[in-house]
Amino acid sequence: MSHPWRASVAALLLGVAIGSIVFAPARWWAVAAQALTQGRIQLWHPQGSLWHGRADLRLRGDGGELTLPGGIAWRIGFAVEPSPAVVLDLHLPCCAAQPWHWRWGHSDEGWRLESAVHHSTWDLGWLRALGSPWNTLALEGTLRGEVGPVRWTLDQPSRVQGEWRADVLELSSAVSTVRPLGSYRLQGTLAGPAGPALTLATLSGELRLEGRGGWRGGRFWFDGLAQAAPERLDALSNLLNLLGRRDGARAHLRLG
């Protein structure tokens, strides 16, 4: 084969490769989500392209699956200011009024992934679709979450900076006649000397919850206490039995 033919073939192959990326279908994200999460997160009926599309979002638990109303939409583009970067906007119509904005670019410290602050609101009743124990507890209430800003230097995995907070408001459960049980706050960091960490505290209510947790050796752990107000002990007894090992008016919460 002469050199001109080789150059032509090389240019054709390069064009095919670039075209396959530029016009890549949205289902590529569905394949990636399935593989990376072992099927826990699934994108169904993807539409559009790799760069701009939408899909139905399903979360799978041990006993069921939850399909979020409205699905998920994404848009990937490029920015020049303040520095060249790839930008991603993720939108969950069910839970957030504004997209979650991400930016990937190069800094003096290396390649960095950053996000803006993101606010969302979730209906806890959706958790029943995930099966046990959520369908037994049949939780009701609202979760208001805030994440970020997040900064992650990719060539230094331990360099993740960011905090998050989730307020669970007016929580109630089918296994208790006390309605609501209370309002609670979960908050934590995405990284630290010992890895990601979280704390649980009570904002108000008849059922007091507190505890702390994190990741140790790649596994999640949590230690805490649930305690009923003295005048509500009888009404909350069944729920305390479900939550953990009983100790009078308290139940020990332990995971991991």
Side-chain angles (χ1 to χ4, degrees):
M1 182 180 295
S2 63
H3 289 295
W5 278 106
R6 292 179 181 178
S8 298
V9 171
L12 176 62
L13 294 176
L14 179 60
V16 171
I18 294 175
S20 66
I21 295 175
V22 171
F23 299 104
R27 66 174 178 271
W28 281 23
W29 287 126
V31 173
Q34 174 80 19
L36 292 175
T37 66
Q38 287 87 44
R40 294 286 183 175
I41 299 177
Q42 299 182 345
L43 299 179
W44 284 67
H45 309 121
Q47 303 173 23
S49 71
L50 189 73
W51 310 98
H52 183 200
R54 70 161 307 279
D56 295 333
L57 178 60
R58 294 186 182 181
L59 308 177
R60 296 189 63 188
D62 293 333
E65 63 181 30
L66 164 64
T67 300
L68 287 184
I72 185 173
W74 63 86
R75 181 186 291 270
I76 301 175
F78 301 92
V80 177
E81 299 293 339
S83 61
V86 176
V87 294
L88 166 65
D89 286 330
L90 289 175
H91 187 34
L92 289 172
C94 68
C95 315
Q98 299 296 326
W100 195 358
H101 185 74
W102 289 83
R103 183 183 181 93
W104 177 50
H106 197 271
S107 69
D108 293 339
E109 297 178 337
W111 291 99
R112 173 179 286 186
L113 184 65
E114 301 176 296
S115 81
V117 176
H118 184 67
H119 300 272
S120 58
T121 303
W122 303 78
D123 183 350
L124 293 180
W126 295 342
L127 293 175
R128 302 183 194 186
L130 293 177
S132 180
W134 306 109
N135 54 0
T136 300
L137 294 172
L139 299 179
E140 295 180 3
T142 300
L143 185 150
R144 293 180 181 170
E146 177 182 308
V147 183
V150 177
R151 294 180 177 87
W152 180 15
T153 303
L154 299 181
D155 53 357
Q156 302 178 50
S158 61
R159 293 286 300 278
V160 181
Q161 301 174 349
E163 299 180 349
W164 59 271
R165 185 181 72 200
D167 288 345
V168 180
L169 306 175
E170 301 295 302
L171 179 67
S172 62
S173 170
V175 300
S176 173
T177 58
V178 178
R179 302 175 70 87
L181 296 167
S183 295
Y184 309 93
R185 173 167 293 173
L186 279 161
Q187 60 184 3
T189 59
L190 298 177
L198 64 89
T199 60
L200 169 64
T202 300
L203 299 175
S204 64
E206 305 292 346
L207 178 67
R208 309 292 296 182
L209 299 176
E210 62 180 35
R212 63 186 185 91
W215 277 259
R216 182 185 299 129
R219 301 187 64 181
F220 177 75
W221 65 273
F222 180 84
D223 287 326
L225 286 174
Q227 184 168 354
E231 66 276 11
R232 292 291 197 173
L233 180 56
D234 289 343
L236 292 172
S237 185
N238 287 339
L239 179 59
L240 290 173
N241 289 335
L242 288 173
L243 291 177
R245 179 175 59 84
R246 285 292 296 273
D247 178 15
R250 305 186 302 178
H252 294 266
L253 311 177
R254 177 163 293 180
L255 296 173

